[in-house]
Amino acid sequence: MSREEQRESLEVLLVFFVPLVFAVPLYMFGYLTEVSGNFVLYTIYITCSILLTIRKGRPLEEIGLTRKGLLPSLLNSVALVIAAFVTRFIAADLKLAPEASSWPTVVYIFFFWSLSGFGQEILFRGLILFTFNRWKGWKIALLVSTILFGLIHLQRYLSVSGIFLVSIVGLCWGWIALKTKNIVGTSIAHSLYNFLFAFLLTS
């Protein structure tokens, strides 16, 4: 059984790395923008995570796509977003972004960051976290998913402190996913976090 779980974990890592190998050069040479690149990347991550789970004969509940545990997952995840908001409000002078005055832009950006939030959650807190948890236990699973989550944010947060903070948030969401066995709540909160701090509020 351990060999099968090892193979499954390798396949999960391929789901993460292979799209990046193709997307990064296209982004660097200007064929993909940040927006179009994220649309492509996270659509691939969502599709591959679901298809790989089904191909392995596992129910989607095993990667946290379930109603069970939704309420504690959502409440704890939203509490994390509120804590981040309060911290940033105290540390910086937050104000609405100028683009927030256009409703079509707000709706479009909300959809964009929702796709990003769900794509990251289903890959990092769903597929990677729960697959490594079966193979190596929760500590290794949490470590691997957190490191990879930080890695994918290198392009956006070029500072060590930025990567560290986003990794801490990822670690917290990973812990919530492990305790509740649910990523629907973390996906909703993650989308809200992205929408608030990557678009709606500036400092």
Side-chain angles (χ1 to χ4, degrees):
M1 190 62 181
S2 180
R3 187 178 294 274
E4 176 59 31
E5 289 164 347
Q6 182 180 15
R7 187 183 305 115
E8 204 171 330
S9 298
L10 177 61
E11 291 173 353
V12 162
L13 292 178
L14 290 176
V15 169
F16 170 66
F17 282 111
V18 170
L20 278 181
V21 169
F22 289 99
V24 169
L26 291 174
Y27 175 76
M28 291 176 64
F29 289 111
Y31 293 107
L32 288 175
T33 64
E34 181 182 1
V35 173
S36 63
N38 281 345
F39 268 121
V40 170
L41 195 61
Y42 293 120
T43 300
I44 291 172
Y45 282 160
I46 292 167
T47 304
C48 289
S49 295
I50 291 172
L51 289 179
L52 182 61
T53 302
I54 293 172
R55 189 175 73 81
K56 290 294 180 181
R58 300 186 182 279
L60 294 180
E61 288 83 358
E62 289 204 19
I63 58 170
L65 291 176
T66 176
R67 289 186 205 171
K68 187 177 179 182
L70 172 58
L71 191 57
S73 173
L74 183 60
L75 291 177
N76 284 290
S77 300
V78 169
L80 185 62
V81 175
I82 293 170
F85 174 80
V86 171
T87 302
R88 291 197 180 197
F89 183 79
I90 293 170
D93 182 24
L94 290 177
K95 59 188 175 216
L96 282 177
E99 299 86 356
S101 60
S102 168
W103 275 110
T105 302
V106 170
V107 171
Y108 170 76
I109 295 296
F110 183 74
F111 171 75
F112 169 70
W113 285 118
S114 294
L115 178 70
S116 170
F118 181 56
Q120 290 179 25
E121 288 305 308
I122 196 171
L123 178 67
F124 297 108
R125 256 71 68 183
L127 193 65
I128 292 173
L129 183 68
F130 289 120
T131 300
F132 272 85
N133 186 41
R134 285 191 297 270
W135 180 37
K136 288 292 186 179
W138 69 269
K139 292 180 183 177
I140 297 295
L142 202 53
L143 180 65
V144 170
S145 66
T146 300
I147 289 172
L148 295 181
F149 181 67
L151 182 63
I152 206 169
H153 286 88
L154 279 174
Q155 178 263 334
R156 174 169 286 277
Y157 302 99
L158 296 177
S159 66
V160 173
S161 60
I163 296 297
F164 176 75
L165 288 174
V166 80
S167 297
I168 292 298
V169 173
L171 180 71
C172 292
W173 276 326
W175 179 252
I176 291 168
L178 279 173
K179 297 304 282 186
T180 64
K181 303 291 189 290
N182 185 292
I183 65 162
V184 179
T186 58
S187 297
I188 294 169
H190 192 155
S191 299
L192 177 62
Y193 182 95
N194 287 348
F195 179 68
L196 286 175
F197 299 120
F199 168 68
L200 194 61
L201 301 173
T202 60
S203 55

